[in-house]
Amino acid sequence: SNILFFKEEIIKNDLQRGFLKSNSAIQSCIIPGNEKVKNIAKILKQEGFEVKPILSPTVPKGSERLRFCLHSFNSENEIREVLKKLTKLLP
Protein backbone atom coordinates (compact mmCIF):
# COMPACT_ATOMS: atom_id res chain seq x y z
CA SER A 1 0.00 0.00 0.00
CA ASN A 2 2.93 2.38 0.65
CA ILE A 3 4.23 1.86 -2.88
CA LEU A 4 0.85 2.77 -4.34
CA PHE A 5 0.53 5.77 -2.01
CA PHE A 6 4.05 6.95 -2.92
CA LYS A 7 3.26 6.76 -6.63
CA GLU A 8 0.00 8.69 -6.11
CA GLU A 9 1.89 11.39 -4.21
CA ILE A 10 4.46 11.63 -7.02
CA ILE A 11 1.60 12.52 -9.36
CA LYS A 12 -0.04 14.93 -6.87
CA ASN A 13 3.28 16.77 -6.55
CA ASP A 14 3.87 16.75 -10.33
CA LEU A 15 7.14 14.85 -9.89
CA GLN A 16 6.49 12.01 -12.35
CA ARG A 17 8.96 13.37 -14.94
CA GLY A 18 11.87 12.85 -12.56
CA PHE A 19 10.99 9.42 -11.20
CA LEU A 20 11.88 6.17 -12.90
CA LYS A 21 8.93 3.85 -13.39
CA SER A 22 8.96 1.18 -10.69
CA ASN A 23 6.47 -1.04 -8.92
CA SER A 24 8.98 -2.03 -6.24
CA ALA A 25 9.72 -0.60 -2.81
CA ILE A 26 12.76 1.15 -4.30
CA GLN A 27 11.86 4.37 -6.07
CA SER A 28 14.41 6.61 -7.80
CA CYS A 29 14.30 10.28 -8.71
CA ILE A 30 16.83 11.40 -11.31
CA ILE A 31 18.69 14.54 -10.22
CA PRO A 32 21.69 15.07 -12.51
CA GLY A 33 24.96 16.08 -10.87
CA ASN A 34 26.76 14.51 -7.92
CA GLU A 35 26.87 17.71 -5.88
CA LYS A 36 23.24 18.58 -6.51
CA VAL A 37 21.89 15.16 -5.53
CA LYS A 38 24.19 15.02 -2.47
CA ASN A 39 22.99 18.44 -1.32
CA ILE A 40 19.34 17.51 -1.66
CA ALA A 41 19.92 14.22 0.22
CA LYS A 42 21.72 16.16 2.97
CA ILE A 43 18.83 18.61 3.37
CA LEU A 44 16.28 15.78 3.47
CA LYS A 45 18.41 13.99 6.11
CA GLN A 46 18.45 17.16 8.22
CA GLU A 47 14.64 17.12 7.95
CA GLY A 48 14.60 13.53 9.27
CA PHE A 49 14.34 11.57 6.02
CA GLU A 50 16.83 8.83 5.14
CA VAL A 51 17.04 9.19 1.35
CA LYS A 52 20.29 8.06 -0.25
CA PRO A 53 22.07 9.74 -3.16
CA ILE A 54 23.31 7.38 -5.88
CA LEU A 55 26.27 9.04 -7.54
CA SER A 56 28.32 8.77 -10.71
CA PRO A 57 30.23 6.53 -11.46
CA THR A 58 27.86 4.05 -9.75
CA VAL A 59 25.31 5.28 -12.29
CA PRO A 60 26.18 7.00 -15.58
CA LYS A 61 27.05 10.70 -15.38
CA GLY A 62 23.86 12.74 -15.74
CA SER A 63 21.64 10.04 -14.25
CA GLU A 64 22.53 10.53 -10.59
CA ARG A 65 19.51 9.95 -8.38
CA LEU A 66 17.89 9.86 -5.00
CA ARG A 67 16.91 6.39 -3.84
CA PHE A 68 13.78 6.08 -1.73
CA CYS A 69 13.37 2.72 0.02
CA LEU A 70 9.80 2.30 1.19
CA HIS A 71 9.08 0.15 4.23
CA SER A 72 5.88 -1.09 5.82
CA PHE A 73 6.59 1.10 8.87
CA ASN A 74 6.65 4.33 6.80
CA SER A 75 3.53 6.37 7.46
CA GLU A 76 1.52 8.06 4.74
CA ASN A 77 2.38 11.37 6.41
CA GLU A 78 6.13 10.64 6.12
CA ILE A 79 5.72 9.80 2.45
CA ARG A 80 3.62 12.90 1.82
CA GLU A 81 6.09 15.17 3.63
CA VAL A 82 9.29 13.88 2.00
CA LEU A 83 7.79 14.38 -1.45
CA LYS A 84 6.51 17.88 -0.58
CA LYS A 85 10.00 18.81 0.62
CA LEU A 86 11.56 17.31 -2.50
CA THR A 87 9.22 19.42 -4.65
CA LYS A 88 10.53 22.57 -2.96
CA LEU A 89 14.16 21.53 -3.47
CA LEU A 90 13.90 20.83 -7.20
CA PRO A 91 14.06 23.59 -9.81
Side-chain angles (χ1 to χ4, degrees), residues 26 36 46 49 57 66:
I26 297 175
K36 187 172 185 178
Q46 291 169 344
F49 300 103
L66 285 178

Side-chain angles (χ1 to χ4, degrees), residues 46-65:
Q46 291 169 344
E47 296 285 333
F49 300 103
E50 196 66 36
V51 180
K52 300 291 185 186
I54 308 300
L55 309 173
S56 170
T58 303
V59 295
K61 188 173 179 140
S63 65
E64 296 82 5
R65 60 200 67 189

Side-chain angles (χ1 to χ4, degrees), residues 5 48-49 73-83:
F5 185 76
F49 300 103
F73 59 79
N74 292 125
S75 70
E76 288 186 354
N77 190 56
E78 288 173 325
I79 293 168
R80 186 180 301 112
E81 287 304 311
V82 73
L83 291 174

Side-chain angles (χ1 to χ4, degrees), residues 7-72:
K7 291 171 73 169
E8 290 169 353
E9 289 297 306
I10 287 172
I11 294 167
K12 282 183 187 175
N13 286 284
D14 196 28
L15 293 168
Q16 59 271 33
R17 290 181 310 273
F19 275 85
L20 298 176
K21 297 207 182 300
S22 172
N23 291 318
S24 80
I26 297 175
Q27 301 286 320
S28 297
C29 180
I30 303 296
I31 302 173
N34 280 348
E35 290 307 311
K36 187 172 185 178
V37 74
K38 283 195 302 189
N39 287 335
I40 290 174
K42 180 180 175 184
I43 292 167
L44 291 174
K45 184 172 180 75
Q46 291 169 344
E47 296 285 333
F49 300 103
E50 196 66 36
V51 180
K52 300 291 185 186
I54 308 300
L55 309 173
S56 170
T58 303
V59 295
K61 188 173 179 140
S63 65
E64 296 82 5
R65 60 200 67 189
L66 285 178
R67 184 182 71 190
F68 296 80
C69 293
L70 301 171
H71 302 277
S72 60

